[in-house]
Amino acid sequence: MISSRAKYVVRALLDLSMRSDEGPILIQHIATAQNIPIRFLEQILLQLNADGIVISRTGPGGGYQLAASPDKITLGAEIRAIEVPLAPISCVSVTKHEECGCPDPGVCGLQQAWKEARDALAGVLDRTSYAHIQKLHAAGRNRKTSILDYVI
């Protein structure tokens, strides 16, 4: 399961990608729009800035913005950048491999199934750019606003 930190990272990056044409965005605006605790968001954005994923500007007109265009940033790359493994179980993790306690890992059918699940998830996340996520988000909003609800 993805951690709260990873969820906050991808939501903050989504917010920045949706406002990429506005220039730097204040941290308070991101926190409010994405319902992220501001202290947690500060830590996340500092790390993303150090990793070169976002750019920060200080002073009037300052804030955060993406370092690259939303079509160049993928969900998989960003999750890995914050060191969150994509594997559902540690014994098939590429970045944080640990034995799971299986009595014979060399022939474990469960391990093979977990590897297939990891590879499928990685494939989807690695080809999903923030530009694509923006389109999905907009489509969801359009569906939501097209539903009419009358109360008399």
Side-chain angles (χ1 to χ4, degrees):
M1 185 179 304
I2 192 167
S3 68
S4 292
R5 180 177 177 80
K7 284 188 261 187
Y8 291 152
V9 166
V10 297
R11 287 194 349 230
L13 291 173
L14 173 62
D15 195 77
L16 289 173
S17 73
M18 291 173 61
R19 301 189 214 195
S20 61
D21 58 342
E22 297 177 27
I25 306 298
L26 293 174
I27 192 169
Q28 294 87 351
H29 294 172
I30 301 166
T32 301
Q34 296 299 321
N35 197 26
I36 302 172
I38 196 154
R39 288 187 178 231
F40 209 172
L41 184 58
E42 288 170 346
Q43 295 171 9
I44 288 167
L45 290 173
L46 285 173
Q47 181 183 351
L48 293 175
N49 186 43
D51 292 342
I53 297 165
V54 299
I55 300 167
S56 68
R57 294 197 180 142
T58 58
Y64 289 89
Q65 65 187 69
L66 296 177
S69 66
D71 63 325
K72 303 281 188 230
I73 303 171
T74 66
L75 200 50
E78 299 319 313
I79 290 174
R80 286 187 195 93
I82 59 165
E83 299 179 3
V84 174
L86 298 178
I89 190 167
S90 63
C91 65
V92 297
S93 176
V94 174
T95 58
K96 303 248 183 196
H97 179 82
E98 291 180 19
E99 291 301 323
C100 63
C102 177
D104 193 0
V107 297
C108 182
L110 286 172
Q111 189 177 58
Q112 185 58 40
W114 288 126
K115 280 182 185 177
E116 290 175 21
R118 176 205 64 202
D119 293 346
L121 177 61
V124 169
L125 297 179
D126 287 340
R127 68 177 176 265
T128 303
S129 71
Y130 277 86
H132 180 69
I133 296 168
Q134 285 178 18
K135 290 176 188 173
L136 295 173
H137 194 77
R141 276 209 171 136
N142 289 340
R143 278 192 311 274
K144 184 177 178 182
T145 58
S146 69
I147 298 172
L148 300 176
D149 185 17
Y150 295 99
V151 178
I152 299 177

